Amino acid sequence: MKKEVVGKMSNYLVKPLITLLLVCFIGYFLVVIKEKFYLKNHIILIDHEVEPDLLENIDIKHFMLGATEIMAGDEVKIKMDNLASVRGTVLGIIKQENSIALLTNTKGVTNLKVSSIRKLKVISRYGKFFAKF
């Protein structure tokens, strides 16, 4: 009798669990398609409110800094000449000011002079997962 009860309970659990698993896979697939669309159309989502004037001043969105290739959307960690460390998302370069526009979590958008950068490390690249597709 106990085996029959366990067998019926497992039938009641297996169907909803398989349904939840399928819903998770479909949701993941849709998120991947959305990210691929954003990457293909060069759309970067910014969680902070940024002034449109600042975004219009950004001239270059894909550039080389020393031997490091950087593009808008990459997350970087920068050490400055004064030993300060800044971490954020690259928006691009403002060519007239010779500075990098960086979106940080604490300060918002910060312009850093290229001449005052001591070391730059790319933490994660925007769209690196889709580079081979």
Side-chain angles (χ1 to χ4, degrees):
M1 176 147 175
K2 288 184 181 181
K3 287 184 178 181
E4 293 175 9
V5 172
V6 173
K8 289 181 181 180
M9 287 184 66
S10 65
N11 286 340
Y12 290 121
L13 289 175
V14 170
K15 289 179 184 178
L17 290 176
I18 290 174
T19 304
L20 287 174
L21 183 66
L22 289 175
V23 168
C24 288
F25 279 128
I26 291 170
Y28 179 75
F29 179 73
L30 292 175
V31 168
V32 168
I33 295 296
K34 182 178 89 171
E35 290 293 324
K36 179 74 174 171
F37 173 77
Y38 286 160
L39 183 64
K40 186 177 180 180
N41 293 320
H42 304 289
I43 298 171
I44 299 172
L45 296 177
I46 301 173
D47 293 338
H48 292 70
E49 187 172 321
V50 180
E51 297 177 16
D53 297 338
L54 178 73
L55 293 176
E56 290 174 6
N57 289 338
I58 295 175
D59 300 321
I60 304 171
K61 294 184 170 85
H62 189 203
F63 55 93
M64 295 284 291
L65 190 63
T68 308
E69 181 182 6
I70 303 170
M71 64 184 292
D74 290 351
E75 188 176 341
V76 295
K77 183 175 183 181
I78 298 175
K79 287 204 177 210
M80 307 295 286
D81 282 339
N82 60 1
L83 301 178
S85 181
V86 180
R87 183 176 178 164
T89 305
V90 175
L91 296 176
I93 284 189
I94 301 172
K95 199 171 187 178
Q96 295 170 343
E97 298 176 10
N98 196 24
S99 64
I100 295 178
L102 193 70
L103 179 66
T104 62
N105 290 336
T106 56
K107 299 177 184 175
V109 178
T110 306
N111 291 338
L112 304 173
K113 294 283 184 187
V114 173
S115 59
S116 65
I117 294 175
R118 176 184 279 179
K119 185 178 178 183
L120 182 130
K121 181 180 178 183
V122 177
I123 297 171
S124 69
R125 298 210 175 264
Y126 179 72
K128 189 65 173 176
F129 179 74
F130 298 108
K132 296 179 183 178
F133 291 117

